[in-house]
């Protein structure tokens, strides 16, 4: 796993490691692990409609923008992108239906819309399960 961490907080790094291990235990496909880049980018940090991150299936790289965001929100975005990595490893990006030049692909491409819906649902639920386990299983 390659980390380009903009967070200097060791707690963030610890939680990130625990989160990925937890996701692997659920059966989420993560082998090989994606490259992870956490980027402080003013363009995305100041734009209310800016991207929070993306997944590049060709390089198996997850990029998450961190500027002006709560660490939990950064991890939630990561969770969404990790679902896209799982989809990629399952071969769901290896189809013509997964190709779109339209920036509004989530509205215009039914196949990619379903992949986004899956990433939103599973990503949020896995993250919720992980955070609840961390909060409530500690004595």
């Amino acid at each position: 796993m390659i980390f380009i961490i903009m967070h200097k907080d060791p707690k963030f790094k610890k939680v990130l490691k625990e989160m990925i291990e937890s996701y692997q235990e659920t059966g989420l496909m993560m082998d090989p692990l994606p490259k992870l880049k956490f980027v402080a980018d003013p363009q995305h940090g100041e734009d209310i409609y800016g991207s929070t991150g993306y997944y590049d299936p060709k390089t198996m790289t997850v990029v998450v923008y961190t500027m002006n965001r709560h660490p939990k929100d950064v991890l939630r975005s990561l969770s969404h992108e990790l679902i896209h990595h799982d989809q990629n490893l399952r071969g769901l990006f290896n189809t013509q239906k997964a190709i779109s030049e339209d920036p509004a692909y989530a509205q215009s491409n039914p196949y990619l819309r379903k992949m986004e819906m899956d990433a939103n649902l599973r990503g949020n639920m896995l993250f919720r399960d992980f955070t609840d386990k961390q909060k409530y299983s500690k004595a």
Side-chain angles (χ1 to χ4, degrees):
M1 179 181 314
I2 297 173
F3 291 96
I4 298 176
I5 303 283
M6 295 307 195
H7 284 276
K8 293 183 171 109
D9 182 358
K11 183 176 181 182
F12 181 86
K13 292 178 186 180
K14 179 182 179 291
V15 170
L16 176 63
K17 182 179 183 296
E18 291 170 350
M19 181 177 146
I20 289 177
E21 289 170 353
S22 171
Y23 282 25
Q24 288 172 311
E25 291 170 6
T26 69
L28 194 71
M29 289 187 74
M30 301 269 279
D31 188 19
L33 288 167
K35 295 176 199 135
L36 301 179
K37 295 181 182 182
F38 294 89
V39 180
D41 180 343
Q43 176 184 354
H44 293 284
E46 300 297 328
D47 182 357
I48 196 165
Y49 298 113
S51 176
T52 59
Y54 65 90
Y55 176 70
D56 182 342
K58 291 178 185 147
T59 63
M60 288 196 268
T61 301
V62 170
V63 174
V64 179
Y65 298 112
T66 62
M67 186 168 273
N68 298 327
R69 297 180 69 196
H70 189 284
K72 189 172 183 179
D73 187 48
V74 170
L75 292 171
R76 189 178 296 108
S77 290
L78 171 63
S79 186
H80 173 99
E81 301 306 336
L82 290 175
I83 299 300
H84 288 316
H85 182 61
D86 172 82
Q87 292 167 335
N88 186 34
L89 294 178
R90 293 180 189 280
L92 298 175
F93 282 103
N94 297 336
T95 173
Q96 283 297 115
K97 294 185 268 185
I99 298 171
S100 178
E101 298 296 320
D102 185 353
Y105 64 87
Q107 290 75 39
S108 65
N109 181 316
Y111 183 80
L112 291 175
R113 183 168 182 83
K114 285 181 184 174
M115 290 180 66
E116 282 299 314
M117 291 170 68
D118 177 47
N120 280 316
L121 176 62
R122 283 198 299 149
N124 276 317
M125 292 309 298
L126 275 175
F127 188 65
R128 174 66 185 265
D129 292 346
F130 168 74
T131 57
D132 282 355
K133 181 179 174 187
Q134 297 302 310
K135 285 191 297 189
Y136 304 123
S137 68
K138 310 251 180 192

